[in-house]
Amino acid sequence: MAKIKLAKSKVDKLVEICKSFDNEGSELINVLHKAQETFGYLPAEVQEIIARELNVSVAHVYGVVTFYSFFSMVPKGEFPISICMGTACYVRGAEKVLEEFKRQLSVPVGETTEDGKFSISCLRCVGACGLAPVVTIGERVYGRVSAGDVADIIKEYQK
């Protein structure tokens, strides 16, 4: 993956985030949440600055980022699509819904469409099992989604 060059203002913002948590290594997850909220994702350069500011190893930061599915090292789309693959959703057809999103958008899981509009990811459980299968796009939750619903859902965001 190509390295990115962070603008000084972005580096300063990241340093400020770390300071807001007293540069405590024990606050790593909170710092990562704030950093991702600010940058949209956590590229290697952001992780390196966080490691330096919190006085922890880059390997430790990377380990936390890759362990928790909430964190992303690649930019998410303007409209991040998450398909729940928990047991209830899976049994009720989530895999077919996922395949249809991938087909319609021509993008694999974990990546973003070329226009930057959509990204696809999978979740373990959204806690809405009674609505299975469930898809979220940003903060919006879609319940009882079938593969046949996918085109109409995508159209809502292509206006």
Side-chain angles (χ1 to χ4, degrees):
M1 189 185 297
K3 278 232 174 199
I4 61 167
K5 176 81 172 121
L6 292 176
K8 183 178 178 341
S9 62
K10 294 208 178 226
V11 172
D12 292 345
K13 178 64 179 165
L14 201 46
V15 168
E16 186 182 304
I17 289 168
C18 292
K19 280 184 184 167
S20 75
F21 290 97
D22 298 322
N23 290 64
E24 283 289 329
S26 61
E27 293 287 349
L28 176 59
I29 290 177
N30 289 324
V31 169
L32 290 170
H33 273 287
K34 272 287 190 207
Q36 183 163 288
E37 192 178 287
T38 302
F39 293 91
Y41 69 117
L42 300 168
E45 296 73 15
V46 167
Q47 293 178 51
E48 289 164 7
I49 293 166
I50 290 171
R52 183 188 72 217
E53 294 299 312
L54 300 186
N55 197 29
V56 297
S57 72
V58 175
H60 178 65
V61 174
Y62 177 81
V64 171
V65 168
T66 56
F67 180 80
Y68 292 102
S69 62
F70 174 80
F71 297 123
S72 176
M73 294 185 354
V74 294
K76 290 185 178 176
E78 180 184 353
F79 303 110
I81 300 168
S82 298
I83 293 92
C84 181
M85 297 302 268
T87 304
C89 289
Y90 190 84
V91 167
R92 292 186 181 139
E95 190 170 29
K96 289 178 182 155
V97 172
L98 172 62
E99 290 305 315
E100 188 61 15
F101 271 108
K102 287 170 27 181
R103 189 183 75 72
Q104 293 257 344
L105 296 171
S106 301
V107 66
V109 171
E111 294 194 21
T112 303
T113 56
E114 283 185 24
D115 63 4
K117 263 193 160 332
F118 299 99
S119 54
I120 300 177
S121 65
C122 295
L123 300 170
R124 281 295 132 221
C125 185
V126 251
C129 303
L131 298 175
V134 173
V135 171
T136 63
I137 300 184
E139 299 297 314
R140 186 159 176 204
V141 177
Y142 294 84
R144 297 183 184 90
V145 178
S146 71
D149 299 326
V150 170
D152 289 335
I153 291 171
I154 291 170
K155 279 181 193 157
E156 289 181 40
Y157 297 88
Q158 289 180 322
K159 296 174 183 168

